[in-house]
Amino acid sequence: TILSCMNKAVVSTQSTGALLDMGDSVPSVVKFMQDSIVAAGNSSYLLHWGLSGKLKYKVTSKLESIKDITINTTIREQPVLLAAGTPSEVNVFLDLGYLSHTVPFLV
């Protein structure tokens, strides 16, 4: 279960729960990816936490705010993350630690 409230994302499973501090960002999307939790919201950052709730890293995108993220983990050695938001662009992260490409799209 994932709940969003102010600048916190609350993630809970049957056995554990974690409160993920998003700083000054309000979360709009939270996804599970292998051994990580990825969240984004009304800032330009993607935040990656371990399953324990400890922040692993914060990645800057070229977006002003992030509305949705999609993670392709078919190739476990090289997962691909797509982030869409404002302005109308998709940011492509081939390595989850940095932005690889930005693709504009028409709405």
Side-chain angles (χ1 to χ4, degrees):
T1 305
I2 301 171
L3 303 171
S4 166
C5 179
M6 297 300 287
N7 63 342
K8 306 275 192 241
V10 179
V11 179
S12 67
T13 63
Q14 290 179 354
S15 59
T16 63
L19 184 61
L20 308 175
D21 186 359
M22 298 213 29
D24 60 353
S25 180
V26 176
S28 60
V29 59
V30 179
K31 303 271 177 132
F32 286 95
M33 182 193 71
Q34 298 168 349
D35 63 345
S36 299
I37 301 165
V38 182
N42 68 341
S43 72
S44 62
Y45 298 105
L46 288 163
L47 300 160
H48 296 254
W49 287 276
L51 295 178
S52 67
K54 181 179 178 187
L55 184 63
K56 293 167 80 174
Y57 47 91
K58 181 177 180 179
V59 181
T60 304
S61 74
K62 288 191 176 180
L63 302 167
E64 293 170 16
S65 66
I66 300 170
K67 305 299 181 199
D68 197 14
I69 56 177
T70 300
I71 304 164
N72 179 352
T73 57
T74 305
I75 304 171
R76 291 184 68 84
E77 300 82 35
Q78 188 72 35
V80 176
L81 187 145
L82 303 174
T86 306
S88 298
E89 296 178 341
V90 174
N91 285 191
V92 180
F93 299 83
L94 296 178
D95 176 350
L96 301 177
Y98 68 93
L99 175 65
S100 301
H101 306 287
T102 298
V103 181
F105 66 89
L106 299 174
V107 180

